[in-house]
Amino acid sequence: MQHVTVPQDRIGVVIGSGGETMREIEERAGVRLDVDSESGSVAIEETDDPVAALVAPDVIKAIGRGFKPETALSILDHDLRTLELIDLSEHTRNDNDLQRKKGRIIGENGRTRELIEELTGANVVIYGTTVGAVGGPEELQVVRRAVGMLLDGAPHGAVYSYLERKSNELNDDVSFNAPR
């Protein structure tokens, strides 16, 4: 049995309307969930497919870190799709620095975060002191590098150029079967 702790304000999302999300996770991952609404603790017990059960904690963590349940459940659909969490508190000196760096990653009206998503194909959420990304290995590598550049103070233009270059590389890799 595994345990995941979910922030108090995200417990309702894990459970879903009438328990719908919880039942879907249980059914698709072959697990039984025991949610303690008071503490935010979610116990995950394997009941069916051991491989899917190994991924279930990441699905719960993803919802807990701010992802929509559909995005979190996509981890079960694709073998290579995983959750990556970047702890911003490791890269900041204090709360003001944390807020400033979160602002750099989010961008004006959320535009930088949206561009990271558009150009990598990964889903990205900034919640609390973490940046979460759900995607394939190459996508997550580009997200990690772009977030790292922003945390290190790189100009947004340089980060956008990097993302566009990597987006073209990812798209070229995917379209190798296309006639030329």
Side-chain angles (χ1 to χ4, degrees):
M1 185 176 299
Q2 299 183 58
H3 292 271
V4 175
T5 302
V6 175
Q8 212 60 47
D9 63 328
R10 298 293 296 173
I11 285 289
V13 182
V14 171
I15 296 170
S17 178
E20 185 180 332
T21 303
M22 190 169 101
R23 277 194 303 278
E24 186 172 358
I25 294 167
E26 288 177 333
E27 182 181 307
R28 291 182 53 192
V31 296
R32 194 175 74 65
L33 301 178
D34 183 16
V35 179
D36 181 346
S37 317
E38 295 296 313
S39 69
S41 177
V42 180
I44 305 162
E45 183 181 344
E46 175 192 324
T47 61
D48 192 17
D49 178 6
V51 176
L54 287 173
V55 179
D58 281 347
V59 173
I60 304 294
K61 283 181 201 169
I63 295 171
R65 296 317 310 160
F67 286 97
K68 294 177 183 171
E70 306 83 60
T71 303
L73 284 162
S74 74
I75 297 170
L76 291 168
D77 297 335
H78 308 284
D79 288 343
L80 296 176
R81 205 161 157 84
T82 57
L83 169 68
E84 172 94 18
L85 293 175
I86 301 167
D87 186 356
L88 298 176
S89 63
E90 295 176 0
H91 303 276
T92 57
R93 295 182 301 275
N94 54 39
D95 280 348
N96 286 343
D97 194 31
L98 173 67
Q99 294 308 317
R100 188 179 61 75
K101 289 186 177 183
K102 278 174 59 173
R104 286 183 52 76
I105 297 164
I106 295 168
E108 190 172 333
N109 298 320
R111 190 66 187 131
T112 300
R113 184 197 61 79
E114 286 174 5
L115 269 173
I116 293 171
E117 283 189 330
E118 283 174 27
L119 295 173
T120 63
N123 297 92
V124 178
V125 169
I126 294 94
Y127 178 88
T129 61
T130 60
V131 174
V134 171
E138 297 87 7
E139 297 166 349
L140 294 179
Q141 182 179 359
V142 175
V143 170
R144 259 192 317 272
R145 178 75 182 114
V147 168
M149 290 171 74
L150 289 165
L151 290 172
D152 289 342
H156 280 82
V159 176
Y160 299 158
S161 295
Y162 166 77
L163 287 167
E164 286 175 2
R165 188 173 67 253
K166 288 299 185 179
S167 174
N168 290 335
E169 288 174 19
L170 287 172
N171 290 335
D172 286 347
D173 287 348
V174 171
S175 62
F176 63 87
N177 288 329
R180 296 201 181 245

